[in-house]
Amino acid sequence: MKEEEKNNENPLKVNRRHFFSQLSVGIGSLALGSLLIPDLFKGGGAQPLAQQPLGIPHFAPKAKRVIYLFQAGGPSQFESFDYKPTLKKRMGEDLPESIRNGQRLTGMTSGQDKFPLMPSATNFKQYGQSGAWVSDYFPHIAKIADEITVVKSMHTDAINHDPAITFFQTGSQISGRPSMGSWMSYGLGSENKNLPSFVVLTSRGKGNSQGLYSKLWSSGFLDSKHQGVMLRSGKNPVLYLNDPDGISRSDKRHLLNEVSQLNKMHHVETGDDEIESRIAQYEMAYRMQMSVPDVMDISKEPESIVKLYGEDCQVPGTYAANALQARRLAENGVRFIQLYHQGWDQHGNLPNAMAGQAKDVDQASAALVMDLKQRGMLEDTLVVWGGEFGRTNFCQGKFDPKDFGRDHHPRAFSIWMAGGGIKPGLNYGKTDEFGYNIVENPVHVHDFHATLMHAMGLDHEQMTYKYQGRRFRLTDVAGNVIKDLLA
Amino acid sequence: MTRILKNRWVDYAILGLSVFLIFCLIFDAYIELPNLVAWLGRWHPLILHFPIVLLLIAVFLGLTGKKVPDQLLVVAVLSALVTAISGFFLGKETPVKGDLLFWHQWLGGGLALVASLWYVLANRGLSGTVYTKVLQVVMVGLVAVTGHYGGMVTHGEEFLALPTTKKEKEIPENPVIYADVVTTILDDKCVSCHNPNKKKGELLMTNLEELLKGGESGQTLIPGDPIKSQLISRLHLPTEDEEHMPPEGKAPLTQNEIEILERWVALGASDTLRFDQLPKSEPLVVLVKDLMEPKAESKWEKLPVVADSTLQNLASDYLTIERMAANSNALSVDVYLPPEYAAEPIIALERIAANIVELDLSGLPIGTVEMDFVSKCQNLEWLEIDKTPVTDAEVKKLETLKNLRLLKVYETSITDKSIAVFKNAQSLKNLYIWKTDISQSALESFKNEKPGLSINYGINPEIEAFFVASDSVAVSK
């Protein structure tokens, strides 16, 4: 062996003397380690459910995929699904302290010395067999009242946007945990190997927008292949989909093979599992080149479908376009599709802004449910519509029924769900006459997560991931499956 | 004859115990036991195994013509008598004896007395004669039957029944909540200890009257108040708790069963309440439904075993095979359109055809070959062949699929001819046939003929018209 080569030897390789001197320390620390952590070297043996090979549900699922229509910012329940005639009767009266009961307020209203009750900016009517109350802002959703289940008793722990949305997405107010879509991808794997199992689409309404960050669809400590893949809302959902001129598919394949060889060598040297993730991502990108253009091509949709979702659905980046896109992705086996629509933060100018926001999402959301239904996909696709918290029953700032605002309210708000595993046409939960506190069947965010996972065939208590010495789960140490909601 | 036998006290002891046992059995009803003696009865389950083993050994030696050691016989007979007497003491704890206990007691007593008789015969030098042989055979029978009854008394009547006869009580279409649901749960989980033979805590759970009467620790069941009803509250105690029911070692109730009992008590613990009388929003509806529907897993238990490696070999980037649930051999198969379509990967699935319960071939240019394969998937429950070039001829092949529950054939060119196939599909619950060449009139008559089938013929035209109408949002200014 040449001297030069010797020096170039992998630094991880050691000589004999070095090896033995290290060995004594090594064995000693192994022994110490096993004393400190008894199950450190425990083998497989009979594995509990949680450690079984993933990619398989714990029990037969009702839903195979989720389309989550996230209304970022906190839509007001008083202008959507929680009808409170008392507010009209007692309009302008101060919110009784017995109702508020010392609940904390955000910095935006904590300075107010009065909390005048503000009735809904719009009218409500009952719809369908279920008799669900829906406001005039949502005429299309009203038409499908019997397909959806309205939960009026959601409550959360957080009162400001960032912690609240992080809580809803990851089960923790502090960022860093895997998003629920990542948990699903981790637990269930993907249906279509050519598309990511977790896809994110974003759109922006005209209302006051709160930020969206990739941490909301991050895989946290899970393998990064489970992170949400955000599709761009412009004309090209994925950049560089087309091969450049003069490069054939086989050239590309050849290049990828070589790169993957290099990466594998690097993996052997460092043992960093993220390199394997990287290899998998390159392969996924290669396959997406084949499948994404086809999946995302809305022009293939017939006229009737375009009309159903509304003409907006032909404009890339709109909520309607994303809703239609979501159906196409679901059809092609994407496990978890999350839409975010920004702009639901009506601290002021609520009547106008809320009407506008509702118009953005009303028709396409309802169309999505009907479209899924006619395709037989509502049977195994769970659709969720809702934000991170609700809004106060009193007005923020000046009392003016024509132009007022509502602050954040975590104690009670409404969402709706439809499809896979959820009972249709149900009105679940009740708030008090002021719409402030829950008086019947509360559903905490953890309960919601547990129920969602249950519908997908996962036991939220078994779905754990050991990281930094403890086991984590989406529902932390809480969460009950709300059986009443299950079909 | 050995020294021991010459000891007369052994004879006296056996005679005395026999007489006492006969006295006990005859004057059962008039005897009241002091506490200490009743406590002796609790030793019955501990000592009863001695006479069983010792007597069987002795009988075995006797029947095979070997000499039965005298010590063995003495100890066997004495332990049999002591066991029978202690058993009698234990039995006194149950005021009203059920059939099982009655027979167990008399057979056990009889066994001890027959054993004594053998001892007498042996002493008279009659061992090895026909008389003793008959006694020995009788004793084997008595040991078996007594033990059998004893086992049923402690562990419930089902305990010693053949496992295959474990009856899955079918819940009828519209069950009476008490008779068809509640009693099933109680029978399954409670009655083995709270029956006429073994009335733990003085509580009988075999009928509603007794439940309402309660037991030792007061009211077991207070209609309308599950929290105060011990029947419910004890279920919720932590399992380590002494009071938790069922006690450690017995099969606990499932969450669903607990909730059913709780809602039933909350609703007044009625014995006439029927399923269809419950309001839709009542949680009991969901709970009972859950119990009525056979669990998917059990439905798929009989499917042939399929190895992960087989699935890996058959799957590709464009063909996903998933197990329906962990440890299940039921498979769900999704096929996506590859750049160059070929039927081979689908045909290759034939070796796992029996395992496929869900199959998605939608959007693929499938034809006769693929449909031939589909028709071989005998356990198929869910089939998607929408947006494919299938025609009536291909749909006809589905006639062989007896378990088909959901079928998507929308956006195909099937015609009225296919309706006959759908009509004959007994298990079919959901059918999606919009955008096909099926005529409106054929569809209408089909709908009338199969009211239980949910036929999706696209979006309700009324609603669709509303959606398509431009700008219908009321913006309040």
Side-chain angles (χ1 to χ4, degrees), chain A residues 65-77:
Chain A
R65 57 199 85 83
V66 174
I67 299 178
Y68 200 131
L69 309 169
F70 199 90
Q71 313 302 316
S76 163
Q77 69 275 33

Side-chain angles (χ1 to χ4, degrees), chain A residues 56-57 59-61 64 140 191 194 287 290 331-333 335 352 363 366 373-376 379-380 423, chain B residues 286 297 317-318 320 322 324-326 332 334 336 339 358 382 387 408 410 430 432 434 456 467 472 477:
Chain A
I56 305 169
F59 43 88
K64 286 189 152 179
H140 294 87
E191 274 196 289
N194 303 304
R287 295 195 300 268
M290 301 300 290
E331 224 169 5
N332 281 282
R335 184 75 70 186
N352 248 321
Q363 181 171 355
K373 192 182 180 203
Q374 72 173 342
R375 280 162 207 276
E379 303 249 355
D380 57 358
K423 235 191 247 174
Chain B
V286 189
E297 281 80 356
D317 286 345
Y318 294 93
T320 316
E322 280 183 344
M324 293 299 292
S332 156
D334 286 328
Y336 301 96
E358 289 189 13
W382 180 304
K387 293 176 280 182
K408 300 186 190 175
Y410 60 84
N430 295 80
Y432 295 84
W434 52 284
N456 193 306
F467 268 66
S472 49
K477 273 275 171 184

Side-chain angles (χ1 to χ4, degrees), chain A residues 424-437:
Chain A
L426 188 73
N427 297 301
Y428 192 74
K430 221 190 223 164
T431 53
D432 61 24
E433 54 173 334
F434 296 96
Y436 198 95
N437 293 306

Side-chain angles (χ1 to χ4, degrees), chain A residues 105-121:
Chain A
L105 298 164
T106 74
M108 288 164 283
T109 40
S110 58
Q112 281 184 210
D113 49 4
K114 277 191 113 37
F115 301 102
L117 296 174
M118 181 58 86
S120 180

Side-chain angles (χ1 to χ4, degrees), chain A residues 287-307:
Chain A
R287 295 195 300 268
M288 276 171 71
Q289 285 194 315
M290 301 300 290
S291 47
V292 166
D294 196 46
V295 174
M296 304 300 280
D297 186 3
I298 289 181
S299 69
K300 285 185 181 154
E301 290 292 330
E303 187 64 23
S304 60
I305 291 291
V306 169
K307 278 193 173 146

Side-chain angles (χ1 to χ4, degrees), chain B residues 90-142:
Chain B
L90 184 62
K92 285 300 286 179
E93 286 186 23
T94 310
V96 183
K97 288 179 183 143
D99 279 350
L100 279 180
L101 192 54
F102 175 84
W103 282 109
H104 177 63
Q105 187 168 315
W106 280 95
L107 287 167
L111 175 62
L113 293 174
V114 172
S116 307
L117 194 57
W118 180 13
Y119 173 79
V120 174
L121 291 178
N123 264 354
R124 297 276 157 91
L126 291 172
S127 48
T129 59
V130 141
Y131 303 111
T132 28
K133 296 252 157 151
V134 171
L135 278 189
Q136 285 161 355
V137 173
V138 169
M139 275 165 42
V140 172
L142 283 175

Side-chain angles (χ1 to χ4, degrees), chain B residues 18 44 109 149 166 218 236 301 309 382 397 418 422:
Chain B
S18 305
H44 178 69
Y149 276 115
K166 193 177 171 245
H236 286 300
E301 253 167 16
S309 54
W382 180 304
K397 293 183 197 292
S418 285
F422 305 146

